[in-house]
Amino acid sequence: MPGFEWIDESEAKAVQEVFEEGGVLFAHGWDNARKKYHVREFESNISKAFDVNYSRAVTSGTAALKCALKAIGVKKGSKVVTQAFNFIAVIEAIIDCGAHPIICGVDDNLDLDINDLNKIYDDNEDISAIILVHMLGIGGPIEEVVSFCKENDIKLVEDNCESIGATYKGKNLGSFGDCGVISFDHGKMITCGEGGMILTNSEKIHKYVVSYSDHGHAYQEGIPRGLDKKSMPGFNYRLTELQAAVGKAQLDKLNLILESNKRRFNALNSILEKHFRVRKLRQHQTGSYDTFIFFVKTIEERSKCVQLMKEHQIPTKNLPDAMEWHCTYFFEHALPKNEIESSKETYNKLNLSIAIGILRSIEVERYENLAYDLVRNI
Ligand SMILES: Cc1ncc(COP(=O)(O)O)c(C=O)c1O
């Protein structure tokens, strides 16, 4: 469920405090005019929550992806593999670095298909990086992809924008790769309107993203910003203090959000899994449970399901309603023809998938009623 459903007086109070503490909205400097550095605190709280050494806040998940790619050395002409079920931002970030996206299919669970990844590698031994996207609350094959990257000396970025709080073997997704990326846009599990974070255990990567996301500032100790050295040509992807204040308040609610999601997800699962094939969590994995996906056999069945969901006033999430933004088969404005064609199989799989959005405003009982109705009618 999106964090916006949890916004209450705690976020309002957090924002009010920024003004009471001096009203400095910028993340850096003005040391005497402020009592706190909210962006820094937000970064440090995220590092603790996700058990990583470093986090850098930026303006969006898309910006975080781009910073991460640049930090691991992706440049003009590099090849970056990602899966055909993603969000357009992943492709945009690759292209914005001047790199070439190579599209890997998904398996029957809608996760990156390791067999296809191996086939792609046979033809492209010069792959620089993989972006593994943990889509809609369920993690991809992280253990397999980590070993693949180690074996073949390929960098790994985990896009965890859609699976915040999900784990594998007790470790947070987003903390396995060279870097992980999360988003705080309005639809995400925790939100500050817009925002993103790059998580890493590497000091070198962290230093790069800190500098790149702030005009190349070298952050020399004890030197005022105006006299600071430039370590590279960078850009401005800085988060504001107001966003960070809201982000901190939202992060405090993450466990509650996860628990509420899980109750609704499990209610749907216990009824629907007996009748439909459903998207599964892998062994040793926990999800963020904010979307429940099941599969039908025909487009007619899909239409009937969507109609029933409408009648129950329970929304679909991305599948099928926003598939055009989440399947590379539709990205003809951004990808070469061969990558569109290779995405066809993924499109066919997504076409028979239905994603139920998990919302706080919809009680468990209403999800159960929908599930029984789906079972009765399909
Ligand atoms: C998988 C994935 N990656 C990246 C992004 C980009 O995040 P943002 O909207 O913060 O730029 C999104 C946002 O929808 C996403 O779902």
Side-chain angles (χ1 to χ4, degrees), residues 280-335:
K280 292 259 180 229
L281 284 155
R282 254 149 242 281
Q283 223 191 349
H284 308 303
Q285 208 184 56
T286 65
S288 52
Y289 309 104
D290 79 331
T291 313
F292 184 87
I293 297 183
F294 66 104
F295 305 98
V296 289
K297 295 196 181 71
T298 62
I299 296 294
E300 291 71 38
E301 278 187 3
R302 191 188 81 181
S303 305
K304 265 169 97 179
C305 291
V306 171
Q307 180 55 33
L308 271 173
M309 287 176 68
K310 267 198 189 122
E311 286 163 21
H312 282 259
Q313 297 186 334
I314 293 181
T316 56
K317 186 175 172 189
N318 300 350
L319 302 172
D321 54 279
M323 211 203 308
E324 301 217 2
W325 292 92
H326 294 88
C327 176
T328 52
Y329 186 63
F330 294 98
F331 298 175
E332 68 284 338
H333 66 301
L335 290 173

Side-chain angles (χ1 to χ4, degrees), residues 131-374:
I131 303 180
L132 175 63
V133 192
H134 302 302
M135 285 299 284
L136 292 175
I138 289 187
I142 189 66
E143 203 159 14
E144 292 89 330
V145 174
V146 166
S147 327
F148 179 88
C149 287
K150 276 207 180 113
E151 249 165 58
N152 300 307
D153 195 20
I154 293 171
K155 301 283 185 206
L156 174 61
V157 175
E158 287 176 84
D159 179 337
N160 202 32
C161 293
E162 296 192 3
S163 298
I164 295 176
T167 65
Y168 179 71
K169 291 190 174 167
K171 194 169 138 98
N172 283 289
L173 292 179
S175 66
F176 287 83
D178 294 281
C179 359
V181 159
I182 51 183
S183 158
F184 310 118
D185 76 28
H186 191 61
K188 294 299 183 283
M189 295 263 295
I190 50 177
T191 183
C192 50
E194 293 280 7
M197 199 81 82
I198 304 122
L199 283 57
T200 184
N201 286 316
S202 153
E203 189 183 1
K204 189 170 162 224
I205 289 175
H206 178 65
K207 276 194 164 160
Y208 186 101
V209 294
V210 164
S211 185
Y212 180 70
S213 61
D214 186 13
H215 298 300
H217 268 278
Y219 284 81
Q220 288 169 284
E221 210 58 61
I223 305 280
R225 266 177 83 77
L227 298 174
D228 197 10
K229 275 202 184 122
K230 304 157 200 83
S231 65
M232 66 178 82
F235 215 76
N236 176 5
Y237 291 122
R238 292 183 303 252
L239 200 72
T240 69
E241 293 290 273
L242 288 177
Q243 289 167 303
V246 173
K248 281 189 292 171
Q250 286 265 297
L251 181 59
D252 289 343
K253 297 173 182 172
L254 180 59
N255 286 337
L256 276 176
I257 297 174
L258 284 167
E259 274 167 33
S260 307
N261 277 350
K262 197 171 174 183
R263 257 182 277 130
R264 290 159 176 79
F265 182 100
N266 284 345
L268 282 167
N269 192 49
S270 65
I271 300 164
L272 292 178
E273 74 170 351
K274 296 190 185 108
H275 190 74
F276 296 95
R277 187 168 74 79
V278 302
R279 187 166 183 234
K280 292 259 180 229
L281 284 155
R282 254 149 242 281
Q283 223 191 349
H284 308 303
Q285 208 184 56
T286 65
S288 52
Y289 309 104
D290 79 331
T291 313
F292 184 87
I293 297 183
F294 66 104
F295 305 98
V296 289
K297 295 196 181 71
T298 62
I299 296 294
E300 291 71 38
E301 278 187 3
R302 191 188 81 181
S303 305
K304 265 169 97 179
C305 291
V306 171
Q307 180 55 33
L308 271 173
M309 287 176 68
K310 267 198 189 122
E311 286 163 21
H312 282 259
Q313 297 186 334
I314 293 181
T316 56
K317 186 175 172 189
N318 300 350
L319 302 172
D321 54 279
M323 211 203 308
E324 301 217 2
W325 292 92
H326 294 88
C327 176
T328 52
Y329 186 63
F330 294 98
F331 298 175
E332 68 284 338
H333 66 301
L335 290 173
K337 208 164 165 226
N338 66 313
E339 299 298 356
I340 303 292
E341 278 158 14
S342 75
S343 309
K344 180 82 193 277
E345 233 178 280
T346 294
Y347 163 69
N348 289 337
K349 287 175 184 170
L350 296 177
N351 221 6
L352 296 176
S353 311
I354 296 171
I356 305 177
I358 304 281
L359 294 172
R360 186 184 190 192
S361 52
I362 298 172
E363 282 306 328
V364 171
E365 203 186 352
R366 278 183 60 202
Y367 281 110
E368 285 172 341
N369 290 340
L370 167 70
Y372 286 126
D373 231 6
L374 287 166

